[in-house]
Amino acid sequence: LKDELGLSYLFITHNLSVVRHISDKIGVMYLGFMVETARRDDLFAKPRHPYTRALLAAAPSLDAEDHEETELKGEVPSAYHLPSGCPFRTRCPHAVARCAEERPALLGVEEGHTVACHLVEEGVL
């Protein structure tokens, strides 16, 4: 329909396997904040944000060698009482002190690819 009628659409899901088949560009959100945007192939080939990586790792895979296990620990914070700084920091395995102090901006890391993560900004991830 997109090609035939020139439609654009917004598809919201937690299932990135489905998104991979129907989307050209993907935005990943956590607690209402955009944490990563990229073209489909770029996002699946090189996810940069720790939450995006965890979502992709949670998707079933037939290729066990390429499947990276990432278990998120802790409870999802309340959207009414967000943690200070990065909203993902309480569950992020890479969080540092800066993550608690300031919310990361959504910055371009490559053409068409943006990420909101201090460690990606600093070149650590």
Side-chain angles (χ1 to χ4, degrees):
L1 288 175
K2 183 178 63 175
D3 293 336
E4 288 178 29
L5 302 175
L7 295 177
S8 293
Y9 54 89
L10 176 64
F11 182 74
I12 301 172
T13 184
H14 286 96
N15 188 336
L16 288 181
S17 297
V18 173
V19 170
R20 184 177 210 158
H21 295 288
I22 67 169
S23 299
D24 297 321
K25 186 167 183 178
I26 299 169
V28 178
M29 297 182 79
Y30 186 78
L31 286 176
F33 294 93
M34 193 67 68
V35 297
E36 185 163 10
T37 66
R39 291 180 198 96
R40 175 194 55 227
D41 294 341
D42 294 339
L43 186 88
F44 281 89
K46 192 174 180 185
R48 304 291 298 270
H49 195 278
Y51 181 59
T52 306
R53 291 177 179 181
L55 285 176
L56 291 173
S61 174
L62 294 175
D63 191 355
E65 288 182 22
D66 289 342
H67 195 68
E68 178 182 326
E69 290 293 326
T70 303
E71 180 181 341
L72 294 180
K73 302 207 186 292
E75 295 290 321
V76 176
S78 166
Y80 294 111
H81 302 288
L82 292 171
S84 62
C86 176
F88 186 60
R89 75 169 173 82
T90 60
R91 301 188 74 204
C92 182
H94 308 288
V96 296
R98 182 180 178 199
C99 301
E101 297 165 5
E102 65 181 278
R103 183 176 302 143
L106 193 60
L107 302 173
V109 292
E110 295 170 3
E111 186 177 336
H113 198 147
T114 62
V115 181
C117 179
H118 297 306
L119 297 177
V120 171
E121 176 187 356
E122 295 169 3
V124 176
L125 286 179

